[in-house]
Amino acid sequence: MAFTKDDFKSKIEEIQSQSWYKNPIGFGIARVDRGQLNPEKVLQATYPVMNWEENYGSAAVFLNALKEAGVEVDTSKSELVASVSDVFLTNCIEVFRPYIPEAKGAEHKNVQVISQLASLPIDSGFTAEDYKVVFIFEDEAPQSAETVYLKLYALSTGKAKLRGLNLNGAFGQLENCAWVGNQPIELDWLRENEIALKLSGKYPSITKVDKFPQFLDHVIPADNTRILDTNKVRMGAQLAAGTTVMPGAAYINFNAGTEGAVMVEGRISSSAKVGKGSDVGGGASILGVLSGTDGVPVTIGDNTLLGANSCTGTSIADGCILDAGVTILPGTKITLSEKAVAALKEINPDKEIKELMRGMDFQGVNGVHFRQNSVTGQIIAMRSTREVKLNEDLH
């Protein structure tokens, strides 16, 4: 038992010095939603506090409390998912004791989680199996729904970089569910109970059917971030402060997002990211790694405009404009006049600029205006003469 903060520090040092111990990359305690028919299925994991490359003292407390509760703790594996037991909670409380009085608001959030769990009423309806303590020790392909969610939280809170995590096989770890708000329901349960639910007028109003919940069901965005339609941003997306996501054709997939204040009125597909000050126009589509880009993620630079209904399948650099309706794919042939070549070489002296290029050749070439010749249909490129600037009042 720790009576003082010095006792706590000594205990952490003792735990971390042991041969079995290893600092995790990420960890947290999650409340899990289980299948209504098959409780072995984890439909969703909700983390009130998600730790990523931080708070190693709390990680040591949690891991040691699991060991003392009789759980096999093998830190040589990539991840660990264990149930939260009364013994685990008691062990944590004993070590966290010096910090419990000041664990409020923004202070000592892991202590707050333990205190809240320990004080749940007996008749709350929750059991130990409804809560899991989850660790990721190596960034390998996730082996459970709980670790998939932990990684999605890391992305959506901005604690991990876009494209920075191994999400291979994530789809296979998640269940396809009917969602009523933020409540997942097994499709088989709906099928089995369809007659009774409909005759009694209790059939739910289903929001969507998907493996992923919505971003806003798990993440509180920055004060100057706006999402005008909740189903336009999937959990695992990352929105930098100042981003505005409009309704209609806008959409941001998981492991995709913005790196600064951005206006989003089009689609940012999986693994695509958009730089600060850029504008993804109405109906514009940035292709993702799941289709259309040969698995190469697309990056849109800073202060770049993608015109309405344009399509981008290759990276575009800073200060560029893609006219409405124009499609630029890696193999798209683009012509330039001698004047355009000279003007672009002037601001991109380290890039090879020619009179005939492909879409992929423009990666890292700043200040390009992509247009379509309305007579010949040819895609042409020239030096952009217009500054792309967002309305500061909107961001």
Side-chain angles (χ1 to χ4, degrees), residues 156 222 224-226 238-244 257-262 274 276:
S156 285
N224 60 340
T225 296
R226 297 188 296 149
Q238 187 174 116
L239 276 63
T243 296
T244 294
T258 62
E259 298 186 302
V262 172
V274 181
K276 64 181 182 297

Side-chain angles (χ1 to χ4, degrees), residues 259 273-279 299-305 315-319 366:
E259 298 186 302
K273 58 183 181 180
V274 181
K276 64 181 182 297
S278 290
D279 187 334
T299 299
I300 305 301
D302 299 343
N303 303 110
T304 284
L305 170 64
S315 294
I316 294 179
D318 300 340
N366 300 319

